[in-house]
Amino acid sequence: MLPTDKTSKQIYLDYKANPRVPERGLGQKIALINVDLQRRYTDTANFPTAYDGHPRQFEGVNALAAAVRKLGGPVVWGYVAYLPDGSDAGMWSRLSTTEWALHKVGHDNPQAQIDPRLEVLEGDLKLHKRMSSCFFETHLTSYLNWHRVDTVIITGGATSGCVRGTVMDALSLGYHVCVPEETVADREEGAHYANLYDIAFKYGDVKPLDEVLAQLAARAEES
């Protein structure tokens, strides 16, 4: 283990300035996976479990969704919710017993609602999940296979939790992975940047939002 006095943000920015692995790039068919952009985690005015992201997060997610739809790719909105008694929450049900415990988020709970600032269309997939990764015990893999997807752009939160879990599963399943950095967020800055570094180094491309949008726009012009 290499000792350092640098913050996780400094380590990430140093890596961005001098990346040690080549960019993986986008494949032929792109899907957008938005992870847990539900009010439990985004509505800071009403829920203590929520946290602020980058000022462009929602604008960016909406722009990415429009661009991916234009290319004929699917847009997925993952959210977490449980049965009324929380009996399908597994180990999550043992982490907390407070009124804000995750396993108490039912399907009809406002905390399970996708943030209204996001533009969810009728043809998008609303994906119910119970654990961190959008792939774990869901039909997401077969859905993406049906659409012949080989690349996933991933947004949402938390960077250190459900985003990271989804990124790792996507890589393991053979997808190109791209994370627009302004569109993911975490409660703590240290965890956020530490995981952006890990994702960029090991699992996928972490790129500025505008670069990703420019790539998608160029792709649309080619088609």
Side-chain angles (χ1 to χ4, degrees):
M1 185 179 298
L2 299 174
T4 181
D5 294 326
K6 294 181 178 180
T7 66
S8 58
K9 183 176 182 178
Q10 289 172 320
I11 292 170
Y12 172 64
L13 293 177
D14 286 349
Y15 180 83
K16 278 184 64 177
N18 187 28
R20 299 196 294 279
V21 298
E23 184 174 316
R24 291 80 163 181
L26 303 177
Q28 298 301 310
K29 184 68 178 289
I30 302 166
L32 177 66
I33 303 175
N34 304 297
V35 184
D36 292 358
L37 289 173
Q38 60 195 87
R39 291 178 61 198
R40 174 180 173 86
Y41 302 115
T42 62
D43 187 350
T44 55
N46 290 291
F47 304 118
T49 51
Y51 46 85
D52 289 320
H54 190 278
R56 294 187 65 198
Q57 183 177 27
F58 297 100
E59 165 213 332
V61 170
N62 287 333
L64 289 166
V68 168
R69 293 187 195 106
K70 187 174 182 179
L71 290 170
V75 174
V76 179
W77 304 91
Y79 71 97
V80 64
Y82 299 100
L83 294 172
D85 63 356
S87 60
D88 58 339
M91 292 301 293
W92 292 135
S93 65
R94 300 189 180 184
L95 296 181
S96 173
T97 58
T98 71
E99 64 175 309
W100 299 108
L102 177 58
H103 69 277
K104 296 183 180 180
V105 178
H107 291 267
D108 58 351
N109 191 310
Q111 296 179 62
Q113 297 171 352
I114 302 297
D115 192 288
R117 290 170 287 184
L118 296 166
E119 296 166 359
V120 183
L121 301 190
E122 186 175 349
D124 296 345
L125 174 65
K126 290 185 179 179
L127 182 76
H128 170 230
K129 68 185 184 71
R130 297 178 181 86
M131 297 297 159
S132 297
S133 172
C134 283
F135 289 95
F136 184 77
E137 293 186 350
T138 73
H139 74 299
L140 181 56
T141 302
S142 60
Y143 180 79
L144 297 180
N145 286 344
W146 172 254
H147 287 277
R148 301 185 182 277
V149 167
D150 64 358
T151 301
V152 292
I153 298 173
I154 298 175
T155 78
T159 317
S160 61
C162 297
V163 167
R164 182 188 177 105
T166 301
V167 164
M168 293 177 68
D169 277 356
L171 172 84
S172 299
L173 291 163
Y175 296 102
H176 295 252
V177 176
C178 177
V179 177
E181 62 181 278
E182 295 95 330
T183 66
V184 291
D186 207 302
R187 181 177 297 279
E188 298 179 0
E189 180 182 85
H192 174 70
Y193 284 107
N195 282 275
L196 283 184
Y197 166 76
D198 274 351
I199 292 168
F201 188 19
K202 303 170 187 175
Y203 305 117
D205 298 333
V206 179
K207 298 171 64 66
L209 169 64
D210 287 336
E211 285 190 20
V212 179
L213 290 172
Q215 283 185 284
L216 297 177
R219 184 72 62 88
E221 290 180 3
E222 295 169 1
S223 59

